Amino acid sequence: MTEIEKRQDRSPVPSAFDYAPAPESREIISLEERYGLFIGGEWVEPKSAEYEPTVSPATEEELAQVAYADAADVGFAVDSARDAFDNGWSDIGPSERAKYLYRIARLLQERSREFAVLESLDGGKPIRESRDVDLPLAAAHFFYYAGWADKLEYAFPNRRPRPVGVAGQIIPWNFPLLMLSWKIAPALAAGNTVVLKPAESTPLTALLFCDVVRQAELPPGVVNIVTGDGRAGAELVKHPGVDKVAFTGSTEVGKEIQRAVAGTGKKLTLELGGKAANIIFDDAPLDQAVEGIINGIYFNQGHVCCAGSRLLVQESIHEQVIAKLKRRMGTLRVGDPLDKNTDVGAINSKEQLEKIKELVAAGEEEGAEIYQPPCRLPEKGWWFPPTVFTNVAQSYRIAQEEIFGPVLSVLTFRTPDEAVEKANNTPYGLSAGVWTEKGSRILSMAQRLRAGVIWANTYNRFDPASPFGGYKESGFGREGGRHGLEPYLRFE
């Protein structure tokens, strides 16, 4: 036996390659045992004296006790915002307002790792998404609206823009810091003050943002953060001192808010649910489209209002697309959100997990064919594997109701007309995707699809300069871009 042969015998070739754990350190964040309310530039104890825990969805461990505001607390925050508006902020020079927004943007960049870890810890989303999507976009929105602060008269020519007053803002749990940025940045650029209520299950990055406000030396009362559940949100909506209400969340709650605001003269924008169609034509670049499908539905565990949760595939390529999709799903890694290799993190709450399970069971009962790749889920925490349903009919609940989880429903079509009809056959109208090599077909489909945002040969791409919003039961009004300023302005 030669020397080479002996060496080969001693060096077995591994049968499989896998990713070694690459956890992000939790040591970068320092949590308080208990958080109060941030009102008038100071931390205050809630008049309600009520606190509830916020829990990590990946481990079910309690992270901190968070104040739950009542009507008196909300009233105190609104009064503080009104005082700040009347006594300086609305009259400050636009270029000075821009400086504060620039400071906030830079501070978010400087502390991005800290915020990313906290976002993943409190919300369950993979650290790669928090680090590479949420934080850069949050900072970008403050940069973008800082640029508009002293150009409002150019944004709306032949009109005299003035701030509305006090903005009451309520944000969801799927993108806590990013939604905060979407709301606060345009409001401050327009000269308003803010009372913001984060979701009760993901308040920690909003509370850390209070320290950014302090570092930026924003005048007291310009930004106020009140934590709590739906009761605090309801008190904020109906408070007579609030001039503008902005809400992102479920369609059901949005309808309640619209009823509460009707007749009060308050300005209102609603960004609600969705059931987006991701449409794949037979001339689409299939490997690229499969990546778009994956990003469209499994990004952030499907906790995305504009998720491409309905896949419409042209009949002639259906089998090929499904085979490629299943093969790609087998490479997705589900697990610790703080591991840099994780693709799909934890479901945000036990309640949301139960809703996902209920709708998936309904899909199976109605006759759809389910596929889930082999996947070992952690024993603690709330988890659900990436799931795809085929043989789905338009009438099935999984094709009509928003699941808000990593669940994809696949339907087929033969002609562009049929694709448009099926895509629009939903009470929602937030987003859609079109995959084809024909530019004329993209433009034709975009004109006919009843959706506020339409992506072409990509999905889930966001830019602060581009407006975002929906039609029908997906709400009204736009956030982002020049359009996102208008709801925070009145015109003389």
Side-chain angles (χ1 to χ4, degrees), residues 1-10:
M1 183 179 291
T2 67
E3 185 65 24
I4 294 177
E5 290 174 326
K6 290 180 181 178
R7 287 179 183 173
Q8 289 176 338
D9 291 341
R10 297 192 190 107

Side-chain angles (χ1 to χ4, degrees), residues 357-479:
K357 287 181 176 179
E358 191 265 329
L359 282 167
V360 166
E364 292 185 273
E365 289 171 8
E366 288 178 310
E369 183 179 328
I370 189 172
Y371 173 78
Q372 295 172 329
C375 181
R376 178 181 295 178
L377 301 179
E379 295 182 3
K380 294 211 70 175
W382 304 305
W383 308 89
F384 200 83
T387 302
V388 61
F389 277 106
T390 52
N391 298 324
V392 177
Q394 283 279 93
S395 60
Y396 290 180
R397 288 181 63 194
I398 54 174
Q400 290 293 323
E401 298 182 29
E402 185 177 36
I403 300 174
F404 224 61
V407 181
L408 177 66
S409 299
V410 182
L411 301 94
T412 61
F413 68 92
R414 293 184 178 179
T415 66
D417 288 344
E418 184 183 356
V420 170
E421 184 177 355
K422 286 186 173 180
N424 289 340
N425 184 21
T426 171
Y428 300 106
L430 189 57
S431 59
V434 179
W435 297 80
T436 175
E437 288 190 346
K438 294 183 174 67
S440 58
R441 179 178 284 166
I442 290 171
L443 294 174
S444 172
M445 293 293 291
Q447 287 180 332
R448 300 164 67 191
L449 291 170
R450 293 293 293 166
V453 179
I454 299 171
W455 286 287
N457 293 329
T458 187
Y459 208 92
N460 273 341
R461 291 295 181 93
F462 299 95
D463 189 283
S466 179
F468 183 90
Y471 293 98
K472 300 186 286 188
E473 291 196 8
S474 290
F476 52 81
R478 294 293 181 265
E479 294 181 301

Side-chain angles (χ1 to χ4, degrees), residues 86-144:
D86 291 339
N87 296 293
W89 182 252
S90 60
D91 296 324
I92 195 173
S95 60
E96 289 299 310
R97 285 203 302 271
K99 290 178 183 178
Y100 287 110
L101 290 169
Y102 276 122
R103 286 181 197 170
I104 291 172
R106 290 301 302 272
L107 287 165
L108 286 175
Q109 288 182 322
E110 290 170 9
R111 302 178 64 173
S112 61
R113 186 181 174 201
E114 181 183 2
F115 272 98
V117 170
L118 189 56
E119 195 81 314
S120 292
L121 187 64
D122 198 25
K125 65 174 60 186
I127 186 67
R128 286 194 299 113
E129 295 176 6
S130 300
R131 180 194 65 199
D132 299 342
V133 179
D134 294 41
L135 261 298
L137 271 175
H141 273 79
F142 279 100
F143 275 125
Y144 177 78

Side-chain angles (χ1 to χ4, degrees), residues 125-276:
K125 65 174 60 186
I127 186 67
R128 286 194 299 113
E129 295 176 6
S130 300
R131 180 194 65 199
D132 299 342
V133 179
D134 294 41
L135 261 298
L137 271 175
H141 273 79
F142 279 100
F143 275 125
Y144 177 78
Y145 283 109
W148 272 120
D150 62 349
K151 304 176 185 66
L152 297 179
E153 294 186 1
Y154 298 95
F156 305 98
N158 302 316
R159 305 166 78 183
R160 296 184 62 192
R162 296 289 182 268
V164 171
V166 176
Q169 303 175 326
I170 303 170
I171 59 175
W173 43 259
N174 55 339
F175 292 94
L177 186 68
L178 183 55
M179 292 295 102
L180 176 150
S181 302
W182 280 28
K183 297 285 190 293
I184 291 181
L188 298 191
N192 302 280
T193 55
V194 166
V195 179
L196 180 135
K197 191 201 86 66
E200 60 264 36
S201 63
T202 54
L204 293 184
T205 45
L207 294 171
L208 183 59
F209 181 78
C210 298
D211 195 47
V212 169
V213 168
R214 178 194 59 79
Q215 280 186 278
E217 298 180 348
L218 203 64
V222 173
V223 170
N224 305 274
I225 306 290
V226 292
T227 49
D229 57 13
R231 295 171 295 173
E235 293 295 337
L236 183 59
V237 167
K238 69 183 184 182
H239 194 287
V242 171
D243 303 299
K244 160 76 170 76
V245 174
F247 172 78
T248 298
S250 71
T251 297
E252 292 74 20
V253 176
K255 290 178 179 179
E256 292 179 16
I257 291 174
Q258 191 170 10
R259 285 190 287 267
V261 169
T264 65
K266 297 178 181 179
K267 299 191 75 171
L268 175 66
T269 50
L270 298 173
E271 195 266 279
L272 308 176
K275 193 68 179 175

